[in-house]
Amino acid sequence: MTDEQSPDGHAIEVHLDRLLAERGLTLTELADRVGVAIANLSILKNGRAKAIRFTTLTRICQVLDCQPGDLLSHHPDHAQRPG
């Protein structure tokens, strides 16, 4: 496994840091506005989330005034390859 490969085998990159910086928001402010625990957003931000509810994704997009594609991108070369 290279440094760029995900230990969970997924190829989704999360751009929450960039979006927060562009909007001048902290993770705590986003958690309050979205209505989710800061720990859950931290897991998402750090790329360790295994899933996200559409309702949470909807609220994040509403608060950040963005599209899901602004928050998430697919990079097949980051996925863990079998054996």
Side-chain angles (χ1 to χ4, degrees), residues 53-78:
R53 293 175 190 239
F54 281 160
T55 53
T56 301
L57 182 59
T58 297
R59 285 293 299 142
I60 291 171
C61 289
Q62 288 170 336
V63 170
L64 295 178
D65 189 28
C66 70
Q67 293 294 313
D70 299 326
L71 181 64
L72 306 170
S73 60
H74 178 247
H75 296 277
D77 54 322
H78 289 193

Side-chain angles (χ1 to χ4, degrees), residues 12 14-17 20 33-34 44 50 54 57-58 69 71 76 80:
I12 301 300
V14 181
H15 308 288
L16 193 52
D17 277 340
L20 288 171
R33 293 181 187 186
V34 170
L44 177 65
K50 296 184 187 290
F54 281 160
L57 182 59
T58 297
L71 181 64
Q80 183 176 359

